[in-house]
Amino acid sequence: MKSFLISIGLCLLHCAADCQYSIEFKPILNGQQLFLDSAGLYTVNSNEVVISNLKFYVGALHLVNHKKQKVKTDSSYHLIDLAKPESTKLQLESQEELLVNGFRFKLGVDSITNVSGAYGGDLDPTLGMYWTWQSGYINFKIEGFYTTENRDREFQYHLGGYLNPFETVQEIRLDILTSKKIVVIVDLEKFLKSIPAELPANIMSPGKNAKLLSELLVPIFSLENE
Amino acid sequence: MNRWILILLPSIFLFGFGAAELSQTQIEIKYPSNWPKPNYDFEKKPLYKERVKLGRKLFYDPILSRNGMVSCASCHLSFTAFTHVDHALSHGINDSIGTRNAPVLINLAWNNLFMWDGAVNNIEVQALAPISHASEMGNDLVTLLPKLNEHDAYPALFKTAFGEEKITSKQLLLALAQFQLTLVSANSKYDKVKAGVLKFTEQEANGYKLFQQNCNGCHKEPLFTTTEFENNGLQPDANLRDSGRYQVTRLSKDLYKFKVPTLRNIQYSFPYMHDGRYNNLNEVLNHYRADQELNIINQQNKPVIQITEHEKVDLIAFLLTLSDREFLFNPDYGFPRN
């Protein structure tokens, strides 16, 4: 027992390059990696689908231990934009070895940030994720179209809104991490299939529908090889 | 080698920060001591003379609009309390008509929410709305920023104001906000009476009493607004179909609610109401008077005041004491000559 504790102690003190945690967001459709503007590759409910735009904010990134205590935090916001592959990869650096059991993050921008004025960086309002006619960030944006004859239609979901009762930011909790290389699967087939058929194909303002769709985003995030 | 890095790093930092700090002069807005504290967090984001000056230049520059024809000042003229006089609904580029009356820009530092429906939640992001609106400036920041970065004068002005090489949207928005935060009106006859320097006439004093009895609930002193949203019983315009605050919150309690405007400089900010339907104060007061025909949709919400024709004249006499000519003709607010 004593030697076990000592070895953990040594492990905590000793930390070289392998203390870095890499996080990659990997959108998939039909179990395959998602590429933008690719025709003939994917279907949803037997309808061929093309995704032309996928962007979302992640923030308040936490690594937690088996007691759900936060052991590492990155409080900044990151815009994950599939059109910019480098944006899908993030790093969490640590000075010491951590005992990590889970990964948590906010999907979207919290209300405090939404009301606190002009930001630059990933929160710059020129990045197509800020509404101009009404203050507030778009948390999750997906655009595309179905190409099958009887359902040839475009869809645009710009999901956001920070005011109660239509607040849309979600917390994603992913447990049982075994590796320092965290790959987060974003299953868009699951999302598109779960959208109620009676909803409009264009949802681009805060409200009841945006809130409903935002909640449907929670289960589409999972860890690879979970 | 390591030692060199240690010596060099601090000097780079000192030089870098020093250069930025040296050119910026912190300033503060002035307001009477009995006023509430501004809502804008000046401690966190102080005003700088260079940023205010830059914001003022931008405010008057039609470069912000897509076709270079419309500036902020086109609809917000300093001489008329920063509103669009004589226009019920303001017009932007290509003579497009908007859907609301341009609001006054007065004492904005005391506001939390902006626009008639409160759609904008911070003065720093307010400019995004008119810049991007198809009927206002019809532009977007992605088009505008390269224009500013390639401009003859702006890169140097932004560098002086912010100490950074490239013009960003954040700097642009902050500069515009900083200028507008300096637009403080606190030198009306009313203020001078409160400060003990002047006295109301008998008529004005009577009007003030009527004001306190009937209007002060929403148009609360000393800012003459609670900055809240209220339904004042106006019949919704059949063409505009404007549901007001509801459009932002999607809550039925907010249907037909609009921001309570300040009454400061009300003499100059006609026409009145969110759609500019009333041309003079007489018409406004008739709307609120009990003997007016009540409208159908909004009747239960209408605040009713009971005053005689004579009292109406006195009340208007008081409202005119809220005019602040030092504000309207302040040389720091007008078109920048140099």
Side-chain angles (χ1 to χ4, degrees), chain A residues 21-26 28 62-64 100-105 172-187 190 218-226:
Chain A
Y21 285 78
S22 74
I23 298 159
E24 183 185 354
F25 288 88
K26 194 169 162 188
I28 62 163
H62 299 299
L63 297 175
V64 296
V100 174
N101 190 253
F103 175 46
R104 309 254 190 279
F105 62 93
I172 310 291
R173 296 157 176 255
L174 305 171
D175 287 328
I176 310 162
L177 273 182
T178 51
S179 154
K180 289 197 177 70
K181 196 170 175 295
I182 304 168
V183 178
V184 180
I185 298 290
V186 189
D187 187 348
K190 204 172 190 176
V218 177
I220 76 169
F221 289 85
S222 63
L223 291 173
E224 194 171 55
N225 304 322
E226 205 173 337

Side-chain angles (χ1 to χ4, degrees), chain B residues 65-84:
Chain B
S65 63
R66 179 168 288 266
N67 62 3
M69 300 292 276
V70 175
S71 73
C72 303
S74 301
C75 295
H76 298 281
L77 289 84
S78 59
F79 306 129
T80 56
F82 289 95
T83 183
H84 205 173

Side-chain angles (χ1 to χ4, degrees), chain B residues 64-271:
Chain B
L64 297 190
S65 63
R66 179 168 288 266
N67 62 3
M69 300 292 276
V70 175
S71 73
C72 303
S74 301
C75 295
H76 298 281
L77 289 84
S78 59
F79 306 129
T80 56
F82 289 95
T83 183
H84 205 173
V85 76
D86 261 352
H87 282 276
L89 304 173
S90 293
H91 55 87
I93 65 166
N94 306 324
D95 290 338
S96 334
I97 306 282
T99 57
R100 289 181 184 151
N101 182 255
V104 293
L105 309 181
I106 300 173
N107 302 334
L108 298 175
W110 283 264
N111 287 252
N112 269 330
L113 298 169
F114 301 84
M115 318 302 260
W116 281 105
D117 56 9
V120 170
N121 64 28
N122 189 304
I123 192 168
E124 292 172 19
V125 290
Q126 193 281 333
L128 283 168
I131 289 172
S132 313
H133 196 289
S135 302
E136 295 189 46
M137 290 176 162
N139 212 347
D140 62 79
L141 293 183
V142 178
T143 312
L144 174 58
L145 286 170
K147 246 169 139 178
L148 292 174
N149 271 304
E150 288 153 23
H151 192 268
D152 288 344
Y154 279 116
L157 291 170
F158 273 88
K159 198 181 170 193
T160 307
F162 293 97
E164 291 168 30
E165 282 302 327
K166 197 161 178 264
I167 301 173
T168 64
S169 64
K170 186 181 171 181
Q171 296 166 11
L172 168 70
L173 294 171
L174 264 178
L176 282 165
Q178 292 232 324
F179 169 61
Q180 292 176 82
L181 286 164
T182 66
L183 304 178
V184 177
S185 176
N187 289 310
S188 64
K189 180 171 184 186
Y190 161 85
D191 296 298
K192 287 168 184 164
V193 170
K194 285 281 157 184
V197 180
L198 291 177
K199 278 196 168 138
F200 281 140
T201 64
E202 198 181 318
Q203 192 179 34
E204 290 164 351
N206 191 42
Y208 183 38
K209 207 172 79 191
L210 291 163
F211 169 82
Q212 289 182 306
Q213 286 163 0
N214 294 293
C215 319
N216 200 34
C218 294
H219 297 284
K220 197 168 169 262
E221 296 171 77
L223 296 162
F224 291 88
T225 170
T226 54
T227 72
E228 294 296 321
F229 299 85
E230 303 291 348
N231 180 341
N232 70 349
L234 290 172
Q235 176 81 28
D237 184 289
N239 294 319
L240 297 171
R241 296 170 171 276
D242 194 339
S243 54
R245 182 75 180 141
Y246 171 81
Q247 283 167 233
V248 178
T249 64
R250 301 280 154 190
L251 300 172
S252 54
K253 73 172 177 67
D254 290 331
L255 265 171
Y256 308 119
K257 283 189 181 175
F258 293 88
K259 192 170 176 190
V260 177
T262 179
L263 301 184
R264 286 182 172 273
N265 301 298
I266 194 81
Q267 179 183 2
Y268 297 96
S269 63
F270 59 90

